Amino acid sequence: MIRAVIFDFDGVIANSEPLHFRAYRDVLADRGLVLTERDYYDRYLGYDDIGAFRAIASDRGVALAEADIADLVARKAVRLEVLERSASVLFPGARDAIVRMAAAWPTAIASGALKAEILRVLEHESLRVHFPVVVSAEDTPASKPDPAPYLLAVDLLGAFTPGLRPEECVAIEDSRWGLQSARDAGLRTVAITHTYPASALEGVADIVIPHLDRFTTELVAALAR
């Protein structure tokens, strides 16, 4: 049976990937580095901030010290906060999907975003109460597609559901990186086509849905059969 549901954040709950791209692009431009939208979605979306800046610099043959990476991460966080002020970043149906799942099972977030960014959105949207567990970029030594974020989320959810096992959890993700992380951790998986088409997600997800309205308790429960 299913005993818990774990959400990815960016690309599933928050339509913040366009804002993340703009924030990366803007702070990299200050250092004379160009990031195109296509490169961001094709090559770097699956990284956390530290991994993304390292990969972008490496791909361009630029050596960045750890202090440079830390500075870019800090300035990108500030830029993102400014961009988020303009409007709600929730995907259509996200609020209702969260409320539905939280009424049926313990819920968590497993994300490569910074914790401050996640909590800022959840608190602004009055959704923090639904997530007793939030796993963010700072919480695991490896980021997706490594299974560490999901393994930690399952472990922490065990405080609310004793004896919880990964195969009793469902993850909802928007990318192959995230789906691979969840699958390698032993979770069942749902893919949402917010960021990539169904053809890019089939084969790595147990089921692919086009809209969060389809993320129902009946669909989740059926994954246990």
Side-chain angles (χ1 to χ4, degrees):
M1 62 185 295
I2 300 303
R3 301 175 68 202
V5 174
I6 305 176
F7 289 78
D8 180 34
F9 185 69
D10 293 318
V12 173
I13 292 173
N15 186 17
S16 50
E17 294 300 357
L19 302 186
H20 279 282
F21 160 66
R22 289 168 60 188
Y24 278 120
R25 179 197 63 191
D26 293 350
V27 300
L28 286 165
D30 291 341
R31 288 179 172 264
L33 298 174
V34 175
L35 177 66
T36 67
E37 188 171 15
R38 181 169 183 175
D39 272 352
Y40 174 68
Y41 283 100
D42 287 353
R43 299 174 64 85
Y44 308 117
L45 183 144
Y47 289 97
D48 61 13
D49 285 354
I50 292 173
F53 282 122
R54 283 176 177 162
I56 292 165
S58 176
D59 289 347
R60 286 152 181 75
V62 175
L64 291 178
E66 289 303 306
D68 295 319
I69 297 291
D71 177 66
L72 284 167
V73 169
R75 291 197 295 116
K76 185 252 182 180
V78 172
R79 179 61 179 148
L80 182 65
E81 183 174 4
V82 171
L83 292 170
E84 285 177 349
R85 291 175 189 164
S86 59
S88 171
V89 297
L90 294 186
F91 274 104
R95 181 182 302 279
D96 289 343
I98 291 166
V99 171
R100 264 197 311 275
M101 295 301 148
W105 299 285
T107 51
I109 287 173
S111 171
L114 295 174
K115 185 155 290 181
E117 296 172 1
I118 298 170
L119 297 182
R120 185 169 65 239
V121 171
L122 294 180
E123 289 165 2
H124 177 71
E125 300 290 348
S126 300
L127 292 171
R128 179 68 177 94
V129 66
H130 299 301
F131 293 105
V133 170
V134 175
V135 173
S136 60
E138 306 97 311
D139 295 324
T140 58
S143 61
K144 301 173 186 178
D146 192 277
Y150 277 103
L151 289 172
L152 178 58
V154 172
D155 183 56
L156 294 175
L157 279 171
F160 305 91
T161 307
L164 182 67
R165 302 191 305 273
E167 61 269 25
E168 297 173 320
C169 302
V170 170
I172 180 165
E173 280 277 357
D174 69 307
S175 72
R176 293 185 68 88
W177 295 279
L179 291 165
Q180 192 63 54
S181 172
R183 286 176 65 93
D184 286 352
L187 283 71
R188 301 169 192 271
T189 54
V190 175
I192 181 79
T193 57
H194 283 161
T195 309
Y196 298 101
S199 59
L201 303 171
E202 291 167 349
V204 68
D206 293 315
I207 190 168
V208 179
I209 58 175
H211 194 283
L212 285 170
D213 288 350
R214 303 283 186 89
F215 193 49
T216 64
T217 55
E218 292 80 9
L219 179 144
V220 169
L223 290 173
R225 298 171 188 166

